[in-house]
Amino acid sequence: MVSRIIPVNEFDLVVFGGTGDLAKRKILPALFKRFCDGQIPEGSRIVGAARSAHTLDAYRDLVAEALSEFAKELARDQDALRAFCEIVHYVAIDARGEGGWADLAGLLKNEVRAFYFSVGPGLFSDLAERLHLHGLTNEQTRVVVEKPFGHDLETAQALNHELAQHFDESQIYRIDHYLGKETVQNLMAVRFGNILFEPLWNAQYVDHIQITVAETVGVGGRGEYYEKSGAMRDMVQNHLMQLLCLIAMEPPSKFDPDAVRDEKLKVIRALDSVQPHHIVRGQYTAADGEASYREDVDNPRSKTESFVALKCQVNNWRWAGTPFYLRTGKRLSDRDTEIRVVFKDTPHSIFGPEAGQHHNELAIQLQPDEGITLKVTIKEPGPGGMRLIDVPLDMSFAEALGPTVETPDAYERLIMDVIRGNQTLFMRNDEVEAAWAWTDPIIRGWEARGDVPKPYDAFSTGPDDAAMMMSRDQRHWRGLGK
Ligand code: BG6
């Protein structure tokens, strides 16, 4: 079989926060998988950097333990695990002082250098400054930063400003892990790799679009972060916004970083300001032995939302008049990320009123069970006249592509894109700021009104008000709970 792996140059990757949760759960397992696939060239180094003192052996043990937990299958191969650990190094570093920087300098050998800031944003500026001070950066340096990128427009602008003091925008990789998901990239393939959909992809033919990102998990151990964030900042401002952009954007002239990001930015800038009656906030209550949101965050009076449903409008020629409904929440009935493009009814029914109303619908299932379903209208078989029914033309990707096709984790793709220097799947400064500029007034409105989220039963489809918001428009939510 022809290898589909695109080779990269040898590189040094420094993970600040190298003993943290993200490093253990996502970054190191992603690197290990790429290593096992032969994509990490000899001579590359992965350097964990954190405050605590660890011997090299102790850090390698920590890495091996993390991989045995978060890359279980592959880590059974002890030789591979050992070989991977050989390229892993460690420095104890003081982000705000001088300790450890000379050691780090001694470890970096390669031209391509990526610095992954897997630490709180409060340290970005210190790290950036010290990297420069110690002469550790070059033309081929990249910095990777995680969400949350700011808490609002002002803080995001401040972060952008701090990073820009030391790095060119072309060196900054802001991660939204949704963009690294294979299924999310598939949205672009479906839209721009087929001629079928594009002529219909506009307000003339599309009645409305729904985007759902539902989770069954609660806020778990992340209560402290989540309580200050809520679903709007945690999910809507970034992940749902990215999905909306990919669905609504104009075809970019090519699949290149700025062409794609320019088009996404135009979508965000064309969004209307959401009216208070077009948005529903919710908070889960206790059920099935699981704690309520307020218990999870240990705040009996919390006003933070674990659910948001909203209606918005992309004000441009393509979409004027076609509403977009977004919804996301924790402790919902199913884990379900999907997009429904609901087409308009035919302009005239030749079959008479008894045929009823029928909408074609394209359902794009992103996770779990990736697939596409096109709902088409056919004649109900049998005698009794022309009765119409809707049936799905179904394509499960697992069935179509075979069960052996493995979907890589988002971080595998994203980290290798950093090494390659490809920013297409990363957010640009103006994109992040535009997303906050849209989100901020909504959140400020809640704060000014002292808005309290509506309670909803855990493992339900969210608060009744979300359903009512739809029924006021003579529409209903699709998917989740069906
Ligand atoms: C993260 C959010 O960015 O995305 C989490 O902070 C959320 O609250 C997670 O659970 C969802 O990601 P995924 O990949 O499980 O859909």
Side-chain angles (χ1 to χ4, degrees):
M1 196 165 110
V2 183
S3 168
R4 297 214 179 96
I5 292 173
I6 305 173
V8 295
N9 293 331
E10 54 198 49
F11 62 89
D12 293 329
L13 172 67
V14 181
V15 184
F16 291 106
T19 53
D21 209 45
L22 185 73
K24 289 197 246 177
R25 281 174 185 276
K26 292 289 181 188
I27 304 172
L28 291 162
L31 286 161
F32 181 50
K33 287 186 196 157
R34 293 294 87 225
F35 178 84
C36 293
D37 258 355
Q39 204 181 9
I40 299 200
E42 238 182 285
S44 300
R45 291 166 167 227
I46 295 158
V47 182
R51 217 171 341 167
S52 37
H54 283 292
T55 62
L56 178 57
D57 283 344
Y59 186 64
R60 286 179 174 169
D61 286 349
L62 177 150
V63 171
E65 204 179 300
L67 296 179
S68 306
E69 189 175 351
F70 300 112
K72 234 185 227 118
E73 290 297 311
L74 284 179
R76 289 213 178 99
D77 180 345
Q78 288 296 311
D79 291 340
L81 194 57
R82 219 169 296 118
F84 179 74
C85 286
E86 292 280 296
I87 67 163
V88 171
H89 299 263
Y90 183 74
V91 281
I93 212 142
D94 180 1
R96 296 201 165 114
E98 295 314 310
W101 291 94
D103 299 334
L104 180 58
L107 282 172
L108 302 182
K109 302 271 183 265
N110 289 305
E111 270 299 291
V112 176
R113 285 179 187 179
F115 297 102
Y116 201 128
F117 292 181
S118 177
V119 293
L123 287 181
F124 289 179
S125 178
D126 294 297
L127 288 174
E129 200 174 316
R130 291 223 146 47
L131 286 172
H132 272 273
L133 222 61
H134 292 273
L136 301 185
T137 57
N138 62 15
E139 294 261 293
Q140 296 259 44
T141 292
R142 286 125 214 197
V143 285
V144 186
V145 293
E146 275 287 337
K147 84 167 252 273
F149 197 85
H151 187 69
D152 51 20
L153 177 59
E154 201 182 325
T155 47
Q157 280 171 331
L159 280 180
N160 277 334
H161 179 73
E162 283 165 16
L163 288 173
Q165 302 290 305
H166 303 286
F167 299 102
D168 187 71
E169 180 59 27
S170 62
Q171 297 180 296
I172 303 170
Y173 290 70
R174 295 175 195 79
I175 288 199
D176 180 318
H177 81 281
Y178 265 55
L179 289 177
K181 285 180 191 276
E182 195 75 5
T183 52
V184 174
Q185 292 165 53
N186 224 339
L187 276 181
M188 284 185 274
V190 167
R191 275 202 63 196
F192 305 126
N194 295 285
I195 196 150
L196 269 186
F197 303 117
E198 183 53 24
L200 305 178
W201 212 260
N202 55 53
Q204 196 185 341
Y205 295 104
V206 177
D207 178 70
H208 73 280
I209 292 180
Q210 301 186 8
I211 301 178
T212 297
V213 181
E215 299 180 278
T216 51
V217 292
V219 294
R222 299 164 72 229
E224 202 184 323
Y225 150 76
Y226 198 91
E227 179 61 358
K228 289 193 208 107
S229 160
M232 194 71 187
R233 289 189 172 98
D234 185 51
M235 297 293 287
V236 179
Q237 186 271 348
N238 39 79
H239 306 324
L240 276 90
M241 184 65 64
Q242 290 297 326
L243 296 179
L244 168 65
C245 285
L246 297 179
I247 280 293
M249 73 190 198
E250 295 302 314
S253 57
K254 48 188 177 228
F255 190 60
D256 101 353
D258 280 331
V260 171
R261 296 186 299 177
D262 285 347
E263 294 308 335
K264 287 198 296 169
L265 179 64
K266 286 186 208 159
V267 173
I268 307 176
R269 289 194 172 151
L271 282 171
D272 65 345
S273 39
V274 179
Q275 300 305 310
H277 61 285
H278 286 158
I279 185 156
V280 175
R281 301 167 80 211
Q283 199 182 64
Y284 60 82
T285 56
D288 292 352
E290 301 283 357
S292 68
Y293 176 82
R294 290 180 171 190
E295 286 160 345
D296 272 345
V297 299
D298 201 16
N299 178 3
R301 275 193 284 277
S302 169
K303 288 184 187 167
T304 303
E305 77 287 353
S306 59
F307 175 97
V308 175
L310 63 86
K311 173 184 175 182
C312 61
Q313 184 72 53
V314 180
N315 283 326
N316 61 18
W317 272 45
R318 185 188 283 266
W319 293 118
T322 294
F324 287 72
Y325 297 92
L326 315 185
R327 109 183 123 154
T328 183
K330 297 210 181 279
R331 276 273 187 279
L332 294 176
S333 59
D334 301 279
R335 178 163 188 256
D336 178 19
T337 300
E338 61 170 300
I339 296 171
R340 299 275 180 128
V341 181
V342 182
F343 292 92
K344 291 188 171 165
D345 200 359
T346 50
H348 164 72
S349 171
I350 63 168
F351 305 112
E354 71 275 12
Q357 284 208 329
H358 297 272
H359 294 273
N360 292 126
E361 179 187 302
L362 182 70
I364 307 170
Q365 181 76 31
L366 299 172
Q367 62 183 21
D369 308 327
E370 182 185 8
I372 291 186
T373 308
L374 181 64
K375 207 169 76 183
V376 293
T377 303
I378 59 165
K379 176 186 174 300
E380 190 177 353
M386 210 48 168
R387 290 186 314 272
L388 302 185
I389 51 168
D390 296 327
V391 292
L393 280 181
D394 229 334
M395 188 175 92
S396 143
F397 289 0
E399 274 169 34
L401 304 172
T404 53
V405 172
E406 241 198 74
T407 308
D409 183 77
Y411 279 83
E412 293 177 54
R413 168 71 197 251
L414 294 176
I415 294 174
M416 294 326 280
D417 276 357
V418 172
I419 304 301
R420 274 184 216 110
N422 184 342
Q423 289 185 305
T424 311
L425 301 178
F426 296 83
M427 291 179 297
R428 208 168 52 192
N429 50 3
D430 47 6
E431 215 182 320
V432 177
E433 290 181 13
W436 280 121
W438 180 76
T439 318
D440 273 3
I442 300 174
I443 298 175
R444 269 199 227 110
W446 293 335
E447 286 166 357
R449 291 192 299 276
D451 191 86
V452 180
K454 304 275 188 270
Y456 62 92
D457 292 344
F459 308 112
S460 69
T461 54
D464 294 342
D465 292 48
M468 272 150 56
M469 182 178 86
M470 277 299 215
S471 52
R472 279 202 304 271
D473 289 354
Q474 277 94 50
R475 296 185 175 108
H476 60 274
W477 290 105
R478 291 155 194 259
L480 191 60
K482 297 279 153 55

